[in-house]
Amino acid sequence: MSRKYQGLELSYRLQLLPICQDELLRSWIMRNALFLNMKPSQLSTIIFQNTDIWKSDIDTQLSAKSIESLLSAVEIKKEDLDNTLISLNCNYFYPHLNDSKQIKWVLSIGVHQRDQKSSIQYCPLCISTDQVPYFRTYWRFGFLTSCQIHNICFLDKCYSCGISIDLVRYDKKNSEHFKQVDCLKCSQCSFDLRNAPKIRPHYYELKANQEHFNLLIKGYGSVGNLNFNYSHIYYDGFKRIMSFLLCSKNGVEMFNYIIDINNLDKNFVDNRSLVRRHSEPEHLSLDMRRVSIIFSYYVMKDWPISFIKICKEFGITKRFIYSPHLDYPFWLKKVLDLELA
């Protein structure tokens, strides 16, 4: 099959660097483009025959036509491609794609979402010790905030200039050629992301992340004192609790209480005041999500005792948390109906 790009006819499939097992599709295309001394947007145009596709979220939403174009343009096994697409591997945390085009829990990193606070998370130790550094699929999930391998906090901003990590735009600066390590540098100030500080998470944050990651990998497991045969049942309920704590005006006092009893940074309180009502938790900053992760461990370790106690202490009843337009899993709905009615 022949393909044309800017007058050049390609009569062969491209031989690219292999994709890693848990690598984001965007990361793979980016690595190969820099290896070939091209902008990632140029390589994606060759592969997909679409000049705008690099601006979209190719990790989550890739049409059947685009998949077919990729498979015909590049030497890659279909099962390897299927394994890296989040839309084909989200049943364990969001099996409701028929209800919404948006995959809940996935952080935004596309060009059109650059004005939002979300960014790609990364572990500085992972990319420092990788033989071939790359960005993982699970770094895009909002219910994870620390690395399960190295037990350090994820980062989502440049330690030097504070800008969000950008996997979209790469421009040649003082060098005539791209280098593969360019993907590990801040797009704004060229700070090497591997040199960022390695921060230990709060104990509750670490334990909750371990439980969340096990659920993500296995599709079942335990969180606190509850067992879940289907992991998405936990994630559905946690998202409702997280939305109340981080996005509802009625959750402010409870949020401040969690900050105080865990000796967290007081700046979190100021950041909480900037959250817009009805925001999606996965669109919030890493710091905000970190507080909810800590809270999840606090209430799940003896569910529902601590949850009921803290709700009653601040006068939180079912009507503050419950929305008739949303579904609630049985483990959460039972407590709301019987204990907080």
Side-chain angles (χ1 to χ4, degrees), residues 169-277:
R169 289 194 173 96
Y170 287 86
D171 297 312
K172 296 182 182 180
K173 295 181 180 177
N174 298 324
S175 174
E176 292 184 2
H177 299 282
F178 282 118
K179 300 177 181 178
Q180 282 196 282
V181 294
D182 286 346
C183 66
L184 305 180
K185 294 182 178 180
C186 172
S187 60
Q188 182 73 23
C189 69
S190 297
F191 174 78
D192 193 324
L193 302 180
R194 294 171 294 185
N195 295 332
K198 285 68 176 176
I199 304 169
R200 286 284 295 181
H202 185 284
Y203 175 78
Y204 283 1
E205 180 183 357
L206 178 62
K207 300 300 290 185
N209 269 275
Q210 290 171 348
E211 292 177 333
H212 291 180
F213 188 79
N214 287 334
L215 281 180
L216 174 66
I217 297 301
K218 296 179 180 178
Y220 64 89
S222 61
V223 177
N225 65 350
L226 292 183
N227 295 316
F228 295 93
N229 292 330
Y230 302 98
S231 55
H232 73 87
I233 294 175
Y234 165 74
Y235 288 122
D236 288 347
F238 174 46
K239 198 168 195 297
R240 304 294 175 235
I241 295 174
M242 193 176 180
S243 294
F244 172 75
L245 182 71
L246 302 183
C247 308
S248 168
K249 65 178 182 180
N250 297 308
V252 172
E253 288 187 343
M254 188 183 293
F255 178 90
N256 294 343
Y257 175 75
I258 296 300
I259 297 295
D260 287 338
I261 66 172
N262 291 287
N263 297 316
L264 301 178
D265 192 331
K266 299 301 181 182
N267 289 330
F268 287 3
V269 176
D270 295 331
N271 293 338
R272 172 65 170 80
S273 67
L274 301 176
V275 174
R276 293 179 295 178
R277 193 178 179 187

Side-chain angles (χ1 to χ4, degrees), residues 315-340:
I316 303 301
T317 61
K318 173 182 175 179
R319 70 184 182 88
F320 291 117
I321 301 176
Y322 183 76
S323 171
H325 307 294
L326 300 174
D327 294 326
Y328 288 72
F330 66 91
W331 65 272
L332 177 58
K333 189 174 186 302
K334 179 181 178 181
V335 173
L336 295 179
D337 289 341
L338 297 181
E339 303 293 343
L340 300 177

